[in-house]
Amino acid sequence: MTIPTEPIGSIPRPAELLAAMADHAAGRIGDGDLAAAQDRAVRDTIRRLEEAGSPVVTDGEQAKPSFATYPLAGLDRLAPDGVVIPFADGHQRQLPRLTAGPLRYAVHADRYLRSALPHATVPVKQAVIAPSALSLLYPQDPIDGYSREAFLDDLTAEAEADIRGCLDAGAHVVQLDFTEARLALKLDPSGAVLEDFIALNNRVLERFSAAERARIGVHSCPGGDQDSTHSLDVDYATLLPRLMRLNAGAFYVQLASEPEPDKVLAVLAEHLPSDARVFVGVTDPIDPRVETPEQVRDRVLAAARHLPADRLGTCDDCGFAPFADDTSTSRDTAFAKIRARVEGTALAARALTG
């Protein structure tokens, strides 16, 4: 048997691209030079993923400013003082605030996919931001002439277009990054915010056929930025039963960094939809230690004691650099962890077959 294994998304940017980004921000190089540096980084990322044996690759989000804000690049209806996301080590990330409507994505993710496909010899997956994350753009006080209801209608349409464009362009799978799910329970332990997030994401997912939803997955984790998380202290067991109500064909679930993985696996086994596959995290991007293939194998075999092997896959817990300026993990470490994931998953598949 084989067990599918996929990357989550982002890979640390090479030094050349980081320098080009800084030069572009300072006005020392133009858009064309930056685009060329991004294309070289995408090409190198895909080459190294394939060399690591990855049966599915991504563009490593090399051209994205961040996993969350790529649709907003260039929009002029934003202020910088939006929702603040605090991390456990004290640093913060801040979303922009929408100042006027209507909401329209400036960039759709199929742009990144179309740039990656010519460089790949294996299937390419594409990560997109969940509409629930972008719903945080709308301020507490209503925008004059643009109600929250109108905003959510526009957001739903734009999120659908973002996913559909990738499916139509030939994505192997489209991954919805729903990293704010666990954070929602930290900010609102009653679960009301999380319920709103799930309802909004399902509002988008329900626009797709069953065959299309089979190619759409949802990723959840406690955040991963500068070797820190925003919600690892939230009990996963309170999230997972609600998360599994999303109408998706796959779930990518952070697990390698969980202190009680068997507890999480038992909840997954109880609530995983009958027509969905779960990809469990077997490498921890914010841990500098590189897992061995044998450690990965043992994590997969532990998961297989709870979950049917034919509905099991593996992934990394999170992206390695969800924000472009995150250099806390080296590029070489990321690829070493990915190789361990691929090799360890194959070891587990052989053990299960034997």
Side-chain angles (χ1 to χ4, degrees):
M1 67 174 297
T2 59
I3 298 174
T5 187
E6 298 179 9
I8 287 299
S10 62
I11 300 291
R13 283 72 171 171
E16 180 203 6
L17 177 54
L18 292 171
M21 289 163 53
D23 287 342
H24 184 264
R28 291 188 290 269
I29 64 172
D31 294 346
D33 290 331
L34 176 61
Q38 290 169 336
D39 185 69
R40 288 192 293 272
V42 169
R43 186 168 60 248
D44 182 69
T45 297
I46 292 174
R47 175 186 63 80
R48 294 188 66 174
L49 284 170
E50 292 191 358
E51 287 177 351
S54 187
V56 175
V57 299
T58 76
D59 69 342
E61 300 189 344
Q62 301 296 285
K64 285 184 179 178
S66 83
F67 79 104
T69 59
Y70 69 87
L72 311 177
L75 290 184
D76 59 2
R77 297 177 175 184
L78 301 169
D81 57 343
V83 171
V84 172
I85 301 173
F87 284 78
D89 65 353
H91 87 276
Q92 298 178 336
R93 293 288 184 177
Q94 188 166 22
L95 295 175
R97 171 176 57 87
L98 192 67
T99 59
L103 174 72
R104 296 290 184 269
Y105 283 17
V107 177
H108 285 90
D110 68 303
R111 173 189 298 185
Y112 307 113
L113 176 65
R114 293 177 191 278
S115 295
L117 284 169
H119 302 306
T121 63
V122 298
V124 181
K125 73 182 289 187
Q126 181 61 50
V128 303
I129 189 61
S132 51
L134 294 184
S135 71
L136 297 171
L137 298 176
Y138 196 88
Q140 293 265 345
D141 296 327
I143 296 173
D144 187 31
Y146 190 51
S147 68
R148 181 171 181 81
E149 290 71 24
F151 162 76
L152 292 176
D153 287 344
D154 288 340
L155 176 56
T156 299
E158 288 295 303
E160 178 193 0
D162 206 29
I163 298 169
R164 194 172 297 283
C166 295
L167 292 176
D168 291 347
H172 169 67
V173 68
V174 177
Q175 173 188 290
L176 214 63
D177 283 331
F178 188 22
T179 63
E180 68 281 6
R182 203 163 175 179
L183 179 63
L185 285 173
K186 185 171 187 175
L187 300 176
D188 174 24
S190 76
V193 171
L194 177 60
E195 291 293 340
D196 287 344
F197 282 172
I198 289 174
L200 176 59
N201 291 338
N202 266 340
R203 181 176 169 184
V204 174
L205 291 169
E206 286 162 1
R207 295 186 170 204
F208 294 88
S209 68
E212 289 168 332
R213 287 198 299 271
R215 294 169 57 202
I216 302 173
V218 176
H219 168 235
S220 178
C221 73
D225 180 43
Q226 298 180 15
D227 284 349
S228 186
T229 62
H230 54 53
S231 54
L232 188 61
D233 53 338
V234 174
D235 188 351
Y236 222 173
T238 62
L239 167 64
L240 292 174
R242 292 162 166 148
L243 184 75
M244 299 290 136
R245 299 207 314 264
L246 288 168
N247 294 320
F251 294 90
Y252 301 87
V253 177
Q254 162 264 343
L255 189 64
S257 55
E258 275 301 303
E260 298 181 89
D262 281 318
K263 175 183 173 182
V264 175
L265 287 164
V267 176
L268 284 171
E270 181 179 357
H271 294 280
L272 182 66
S274 60
D275 56 350
R277 181 184 294 274
V278 61
F279 289 75
V280 296
V282 291
T283 54
D284 181 0
I286 67 174
D287 186 340
R289 296 169 296 183
V290 176
E291 294 83 357
T292 66
E294 290 75 21
Q295 286 175 312
V296 170
R297 175 200 62 199
D298 292 346
R299 289 171 178 173
V300 180
L301 294 178
R305 289 195 288 270
H306 294 266
L307 297 158
D310 61 352
R311 295 173 60 205
L312 182 63
T314 67
C315 61
D316 310 301
D317 269 4
C318 187
F320 288 90
F323 296 87
D325 61 357
D326 182 4
T327 57
S328 58
T329 300
S330 76
R331 197 164 165 85
D332 286 344
T333 295
F335 286 114
K337 284 175 171 279
I338 288 166
R339 183 179 293 276
R341 169 171 53 77
V342 172
E343 294 179 356
T345 301
L347 289 176
R350 289 198 288 274
L352 290 170
T353 300

